Amino acid sequence: MTDSEGRHLRRFECLLAAIDQIVVRLSSTGEIKKVSAGSASWLKPDAMISRTFTALFPDEVAGHIAAMTKKALESGEPQKLTLSMQPEHSFHWRELGLTTAQTWDTTLVAVDETELIWVARDVSVSRRNQQKLFNQAQRDPLTGAYNRRSLLTILDHSIAQAQRYDWVCSFLLIDIDNFKQINDQYNWDTGDKVLQQFVKAMHGFQRTADFFARFSDDRFVMFLPETNREQALLAAERVRKLAAELQVSSASDDAEDSLNFTVCIGAATLRDAKDTPESILKRAEENLFVAKQSGANRVEGEPWR
Ligand SMILES: Nc1nc2c(ncn2[C@@H]2O[C@H](COP(=O)(O)OP(=O)(O)OP(=O)(O)O)[C@@H](O)[C@H]2O)c(=O)[nH]1
């Protein structure tokens, strides 16, 4: 090795020591020549030397890597692939020390026609954080139900689709009766528990296609695709009953203290192509108002037309 080659190699090794990624040097036939584990302290780099790189992966992934290798050698361009690494599906990586599921952004680049470098960056944490932020933006933090913003997006889309394909759909506006009194008589924490337990029960009750969201303080919306007026009234009746039968333990010191609550529901059903999320919501609000005026624990649907 000349002095200049030695310096190049030394520079490369310094660079490897400074970065977090897993870096693998491969021959063009796929034999592993050198491995740097980066921050993957679980990895046993020596156990990888002289093995065939693609053979470390399940068949379908090995196929992608073989195709990437060919493309990297032919084009000279870096090739990128995101891999979901599950220890239970990847015997060889498990043997090399992988114990938890990870997501890797990988890049394969040809140095020349005889050698390639593969770099893997673990992006599991940033992906999980992204997903968490996305969920937080869609959900009400107290109850975990979808929030008003997600509801309005879903309604816009679902109602436009129902109108285009001549489908029927309905929605229920559900309001807890005398909720302020629950807060006042018990305490705010007990009010919170009522909201949380109602949402939990509703999540168990809804069909997978239904969409349930917290609309405001003690008010919720359930969107029911492919549901006509009569079916909506039946669903509303079941929700009314479910709420009335829920027992919520109060958040007071007395563990024996439990309470019941009721809801009023206004139902509304899509009429025609002129209907909008706002107009349907307005009818549901009017029906809810009628239900509230007639007393607690009631359902009011659209009048027959
Ligand atoms: N515990 C709790 N209370 C809340 C929350 N958000 C709003 N509230 C309270 O909920 C109460 C809602 O009161 P109202 O809108 O008058 O409803 P109501 O007492 O159920 O009256 P009716 O709907 O006419 O039966 C208000 O006192 C709000 O301060 C929350 O997240 N948790």
Side-chain angles (χ1 to χ4, degrees):
M1 192 187 298
T2 64
D3 278 359
S4 146
E5 281 169 345
R7 264 205 311 281
H8 275 313
L9 195 61
R10 180 82 195 112
R11 265 195 215 119
F12 182 65
E13 279 169 359
C14 288
L15 193 64
L16 284 187
I19 65 174
D20 283 346
Q21 286 91 333
I22 301 172
V23 180
V24 178
R25 247 176 67 205
L26 303 166
S27 74
S28 55
T29 56
E31 188 190 341
I32 298 174
K33 298 288 188 190
K34 193 162 174 52
V35 179
S36 165
S39 60
S41 51
W42 52 268
L43 183 63
K44 302 168 188 155
D46 294 343
M48 293 175 74
I49 305 300
S50 299
R51 292 172 74 170
T52 303
F53 184 59
T54 48
L56 298 179
F57 294 91
D59 287 351
E60 69 282 5
V61 179
H64 283 304
I65 293 176
M68 277 169 82
T69 306
K70 190 162 175 281
K71 219 160 163 198
L73 286 166
E74 282 169 5
S75 68
E77 298 289 326
Q79 304 296 310
K80 294 188 179 292
L81 180 68
T82 298
L83 293 178
S84 166
M85 301 295 295
Q86 316 274 355
E88 59 277 23
H89 298 149
S90 184
F91 168 75
H92 296 294
W93 284 98
R94 205 166 66 226
E95 217 183 34
L96 292 168
L98 182 73
T99 52
T100 54
Q102 299 191 356
T103 306
W104 291 348
D105 276 352
T106 71
T107 306
L108 184 65
V109 58
V111 179
D112 55 31
E113 65 279 8
T114 63
E115 191 179 307
L116 299 110
I117 305 272
W118 181 81
V119 179
R121 189 161 61 96
D122 179 12
V123 291
S124 322
V125 174
S126 59
R127 289 281 164 98
R128 269 200 300 277
N129 287 344
Q130 267 173 13
Q131 188 61 42
K132 213 163 134 194
L133 283 178
F134 182 66
N135 287 344
Q136 279 169 356
Q138 286 196 315
R139 302 267 181 180
D140 162 43
L142 177 70
T143 61
Y146 283 104
N147 58 23
R148 187 189 182 111
R149 183 170 5 136
S150 340
L151 170 79
L152 296 176
T153 313
I154 289 281
L155 283 189
D156 274 343
H157 175 75
S158 306
I159 289 176
Q161 206 176 28
Q163 284 165 329
R164 186 170 329 129
Y165 297 108
D166 226 3
W167 292 334
V168 64
C169 62
S170 297
F171 76 91
L172 311 180
L173 191 58
I174 307 163
D175 190 280
I176 298 180
D177 295 320
N178 308 314
F179 186 64
K180 185 174 178 310
Q181 204 179 310
I182 297 176
N183 273 339
D184 292 347
Q185 187 178 334
Y186 296 86
N187 47 40
W188 188 276
D189 285 347
T190 302
D192 282 356
K193 278 183 92 178
V194 166
L195 297 171
Q196 287 165 329
Q197 295 201 15
F198 177 56
V199 168
K200 193 168 168 216
M202 287 299 289
H203 282 156
F205 166 87
Q206 73 190 104
R207 299 176 306 177
T208 36
D210 299 341
F211 186 84
F212 180 68
R214 185 174 179 192
F215 190 67
S216 58
D217 301 353
D218 60 342
R219 194 166 274 202
F220 298 86
V221 164
M222 189 162 197
F223 176 70
L224 306 165
E226 293 174 48
T227 304
N228 63 25
R229 178 190 180 278
E230 293 72 40
Q231 292 163 330
L233 282 176
L234 284 176
E237 203 36 58
R238 292 199 350 251
V239 171
R240 184 196 65 73
K241 212 156 164 271
L242 176 128
E245 286 170 1
L246 265 185
Q247 285 268 338
V248 179
S249 54
S250 83
S252 70
D253 294 338
D254 185 356
E256 296 297 307
D257 214 358
S258 74
L259 69 131
N260 291 95
F261 68 96
T262 56
V263 295
C264 274
I265 303 175
T269 301
L270 178 69
R271 281 185 183 162
D272 50 35
K274 286 197 277 295
D275 239 350
T276 61
E278 292 74 26
S279 60
I280 308 178
L281 189 58
K282 187 161 174 286
R283 290 204 302 280
E285 267 170 346
E286 287 162 3
N287 295 335
L288 177 64
F289 181 74
V290 175
K292 287 269 179 194
Q293 292 295 299
S294 333
N297 198 19
R298 295 185 67 95
V299 167
E300 188 69 35
E302 302 242 54
W304 284 105
R305 295 186 332 128

